[in-house]
Amino acid sequence: MRRFLIAGNWKMNCGPNETAALLEELKKETPVISENVDVLVCPPFVSLSMSVNHLHDTDIAVGAQNFHFEDNGAYTGEISATMLEESGCNYVIIGHSERREYFGETDEGVNAKTKKALLHKLVPVVCVGESLAQRKDGVHFDLVKNQVTAALEGISSDDVLDVVIAYEPIWAIGTGETASPEQAQEMHAHIRNTIESLYDSETADVIRILYGGSMKPGNAEELLQQNDVDGGLIGGASLDAKSFSQIISAAEKIS
Ligand code: PGA
């Protein structure tokens, strides 16, 4: 039986006031969450602690969108995994394409952060995915395979079971354009095969692979029905409590 993960990536939206309002709405709208579906919201740093407090009596987990791989020190403006742990976070998004594009994140940095997150018992949600130009050039399968391989470098077969991979084709993020269910399934199967070649088939079966890129109520069910799609990393639609809840319901229906 599959256990879905429905994760909201709020990006640079919602300071503490807006977060409080959105979480209240979400609490009202969210259907009863079964053990087959995990639900996660990832607000900005300044809203994390209050999100943990707001959601302590619910089944909704809280995660961060980024962190620095050092524990502390002279890194002005940065936040460490220790701090996230202390704030009550259980997950952290790593290597989102916006961080790779605008903040120079590299595969090596993603690997360092993935290892550090695991050390701190934060579930790493590692993002991979190709640009439109890379897909048109036909290099998308190799690129994603390399991203996954680099992210998991040096991670043991025990630890890797806690890693979540999010496939997010850059051309589908925030564009309203979604990968077709077939395109998503094809890449997810490729990612699972990559994990199998790095570890073994049991490991590959267990690791959750999320789809991200304009997932919304209208397309969630079709995407989540694909064999290798174990959930969604949702940007825009996660900022609307009704939409996010409808996606959770779609996962509940299929699981
Ligand atoms: P989107 O964003 O759902 O707005 O396309 C997804 C993401 O970037 O994680």
Side-chain angles (χ1 to χ4, degrees):
M1 194 200 296
R2 279 199 288 174
R3 216 176 92 234
F4 286 108
L5 172 60
I6 302 299
N9 173 14
W10 291 9
K11 309 194 180 185
M12 198 171 74
N13 296 292
C14 298
N17 293 340
E18 281 181 273
T19 294
L22 180 51
L23 292 179
E24 278 317 304
E25 255 190 275
L26 201 56
K27 279 201 215 177
K28 272 188 235 136
E29 295 288 340
T30 307
V32 176
I33 301 172
S34 73
E35 58 184 13
N36 303 326
V37 180
D38 291 331
V39 178
L40 167 69
V41 291
C42 300
F45 288 134
V46 290
S47 303
L48 287 178
S49 292
M50 59 98 61
S51 299
V52 170
N53 289 336
H54 247 79
L55 296 173
H56 78 275
D57 56 348
T58 73
D59 289 326
I60 304 175
V62 178
Q65 300 171 18
N66 181 40
F67 70 105
H68 192 284
F69 53 79
E70 294 292 350
D71 282 328
N72 48 48
Y75 300 100
T76 302
E78 294 294 321
I79 306 275
S80 70
T82 323
M83 296 171 190
L84 295 183
E85 213 186 346
E86 201 181 319
S87 314
C89 287
N90 295 117
Y91 290 78
V92 62
I93 299 171
I94 296 176
H96 189 279
S97 61
E98 285 150 16
R99 295 218 54 88
R100 292 181 191 252
E101 185 180 349
Y102 305 132
F103 304 99
E105 293 223 357
T106 61
D107 283 336
E108 291 70 32
V110 169
N111 177 241
K113 289 183 181 188
T114 305
K115 288 175 175 160
K116 184 60 95 173
L118 289 166
L119 260 182
H120 287 271
K121 305 281 177 238
L122 296 165
V123 175
V125 180
V126 178
C127 302
V128 297
E130 80 287 356
S131 66
L132 189 56
Q134 288 161 333
R135 179 166 277 264
K136 281 189 174 152
D137 286 348
V139 298
H140 48 303
F141 289 116
D142 282 346
L143 178 109
V144 169
K145 182 178 185 173
N146 291 341
Q147 286 178 328
V148 171
T149 305
L152 300 179
E153 163 85 50
I155 293 174
S156 73
S157 51
D158 278 346
D159 285 345
V160 80
L161 298 173
D162 291 325
V163 175
V164 173
I165 305 284
Y167 169 57
E168 298 207 306
I170 296 169
W171 47 272
I173 296 178
T175 58
E177 195 174 327
T178 323
S180 67
E182 295 74 26
Q183 284 172 320
Q185 169 56 27
E186 195 182 23
M187 187 59 90
H188 281 229
H190 174 67
I191 293 171
R192 217 177 283 288
N193 287 338
T194 302
I195 296 167
E196 182 174 348
S197 68
L198 295 171
Y199 297 91
D200 52 47
S201 61
E202 288 79 30
T203 307
D205 279 350
V206 171
I207 290 191
R208 292 197 278 187
I209 308 172
L210 314 184
Y211 169 79
S214 300
M215 189 185 267
K216 42 190 180 263
N219 60 26
E221 198 172 321
E222 229 187 348
L223 286 160
L224 295 171
Q225 263 163 354
Q226 304 306 306
N227 274 343
D228 289 295
V229 177
D230 305 311
L233 182 56
I234 299 125
S238 72
L239 294 170
D240 179 75
K242 260 204 177 72
S243 299
F244 192 59
S245 303
Q246 282 168 2
I247 298 174
I248 299 169
S249 298
E252 287 289 357
K253 194 170 150 192
I254 300 164
S255 69

